[in-house]
Structures are given as C-alpha cells and as structure tokens.
C-alpha cells in the first residue's frame, strides 16, 4: 500500500537547542488537532465514506503520518542537547521525569493523547466538515507556533506544514461539493 522513502517529506532543520519551542510543537504531535489525530481520523473515516472520496481520505491520512514524522524530528532536534534543567525551565520537567527525552503523544499542556480527539459520525458530509475544521485548527496552530518562534530554519518547515493544512482543507471542501452533487442527483428507478 505504501512505499517508504527514508527521508522526510520536507527537510527539517533547527538553528539551536530550544526546548521551549519543542514544548509548543508537541501540541501538533499529540494534541487534539495534531497530526496523529488527523491521520487516524481520516484513515478511520474512509471506511464509511462513498467510493468517490475514499482515495482522498487515504492520501491525506497517509500524508498526515509524514507530517507526524516531521514534528517528531523537530522536537527531537530541539531537545536532544538540552540539559534536564533546560527541559524543566521550558516546562518539560514532568515529561522528562516520565520519558527522559523520548517522544510521547501528549499536548503542549502535558495531557496524553486520547481517542476522544477523533470524530467519525458516519455521515460523509458531516465527517468532511469535521475534517475541514480539523485542518483549519491545525493551520491556525502552526501559525501561532511560527509567531512564537525565532528560528528561521524551523519556521521554513512549519510554513510548509501550514500550507499543506490549507491544501487539505481545500481538498476536503471539494469532496463535500462532490458528495452534495451526488446526494442531490435525481434518482431514477
């Protein structure tokens, strides 16, 4: 089903160790509107959506895993040289106490990821509107992280991710229109 290339979807570079910025980025790793939630939501919804848009959910869900991999690389690079005191000062003390520098699915506030972040109503149009909202919330979060970042190298990768959220939102909007047209077609028996 997939072909794995041993490279990130887009290069990830950081200028320096910055655990404070890593803490913010963890929101996109294990937060409600983060990449893990998006990937699982879309790949789950594809089983109850009309054939005309299954491929879209598969494509975007798969891409979200690539984004998750990018976020993991960012967090790792921002924290790999941090001392325990730097992690504590950045608000990552509880994370360090539990996981050292290992990645763990939680949000910026330290709340662990939960399946309640994923929505699947079973109504294709309702689910796609949920997906549009998820993409727009992720886009906004990327913008807010960019606003707080002073790392031009990292911001380049974050801008790439922000733009992909916009593309995904647009594609989901197109899928809604396809399904509305299909729903509103006169049916002859």
């Amino acid at each position: 089903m997939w072909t794995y290339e041993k490279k990130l979807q887009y290069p990830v570079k950081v200028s320096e160790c910055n655990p404070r910025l890593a803490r913010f980025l963890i929101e996109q790793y294990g937060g409600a509107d983060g990449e893990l939630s998006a990937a699982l939501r879309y790949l789950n919804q594809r089983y109850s959506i009309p054939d005309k848009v299954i491929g879209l959910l598969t494509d975007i869900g798969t891409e979200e895993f690539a984004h998750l991999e990018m976020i993991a690389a960012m967090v790792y690079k921002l924290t790999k040289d941090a001392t325990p005191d730097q992690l504590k000062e950045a608000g990552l003390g509880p994370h360090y106490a539990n996981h050292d520098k290992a990645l763990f699915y939680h949000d910026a506030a330290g709340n662990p990821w939960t399946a309640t972040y994923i929505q699947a109503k079973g109504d294709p149009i309702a689910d796609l509107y949920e997906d549009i909202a998820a993409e727009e919330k992720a886009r906004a979060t990327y913008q807010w992280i960019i606003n707080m970042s002073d790392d031009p190298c990292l911001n380049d990768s974050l801008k790439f991710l922000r733009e992909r959220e916009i593309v995904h939102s647009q594609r989901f909007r197109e899928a809604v229109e396809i399904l509305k047209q299909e729903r509103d077609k006169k049916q002859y028996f």
Side-chain angles (χ1 to χ4, degrees):
M1 179 168 175
W2 289 301
T3 301
Y4 179 70
E5 294 181 38
K6 293 185 178 190
K7 65 179 187 173
L8 295 174
Q9 183 183 13
Y10 190 86
V12 169
K13 297 178 184 168
V14 301
S15 299
E16 62 187 0
C17 175
N18 189 336
R20 181 188 64 85
L21 192 52
R23 179 175 174 219
F24 302 144
L25 278 170
I26 286 174
E27 184 66 32
Q28 292 299 77
Y29 192 69
D33 304 314
E35 303 295 352
L36 177 65
S37 296
L40 295 176
R41 177 184 298 115
Y42 308 151
L43 292 175
N44 182 59
Q45 288 175 353
R46 63 189 280 270
Y47 291 100
S48 59
I49 202 134
D51 289 345
K52 287 189 174 214
V53 294
I54 285 175
L56 175 66
L57 286 165
T58 304
D59 292 348
I60 295 176
T62 302
E63 185 176 344
E64 299 294 0
F65 278 126
H67 296 174
L68 185 68
E69 186 178 30
M70 289 177 64
I71 294 296
M74 291 175 194
V75 171
Y76 170 76
K77 289 179 178 191
L78 289 167
T79 60
K80 70 179 179 139
D81 296 324
T83 66
D85 284 339
Q86 287 175 310
L87 293 169
K88 186 176 169 185
E89 191 176 302
L92 290 171
H95 176 96
Y96 179 76
N98 262 340
H99 311 288
D100 190 38
K101 293 179 186 174
L103 290 163
F104 184 78
Y105 294 109
H106 63 76
D107 63 16
N111 301 308
W113 185 88
T114 172
T116 59
Y117 293 160
I118 299 173
Q119 296 298 318
K121 191 68 177 170
D123 178 280
I125 293 174
D127 283 345
L128 286 169
Y129 277 122
E130 172 69 28
D131 300 344
I132 292 165
E135 293 295 326
E136 292 299 333
K137 289 185 275 186
R139 175 202 48 79
T141 301
Y142 278 122
Q143 184 59 56
W144 297 328
I145 294 170
I146 290 166
N147 293 348
M148 292 186 287
S149 170
D150 58 358
D151 187 329
C153 295
L154 185 67
N155 286 351
D156 180 57
S157 299
L158 292 173
K159 288 175 184 176
F160 169 81
L161 291 170
R162 181 194 60 200
E163 295 306 311
R164 294 306 300 160
E165 304 300 342
I166 293 168
V167 170
H168 295 168
S169 177
Q170 291 169 339
R171 298 285 315 279
F172 285 137
R173 291 171 200 274
E174 292 165 6
V176 166
E177 293 309 311
I178 290 167
L179 294 183
K180 281 182 178 178
Q181 288 173 2
E182 194 69 22
R183 177 193 65 191
D184 296 339
K185 267 187 188 175
K186 287 191 176 188
Q187 300 208 0
Y188 300 97
F189 300 95

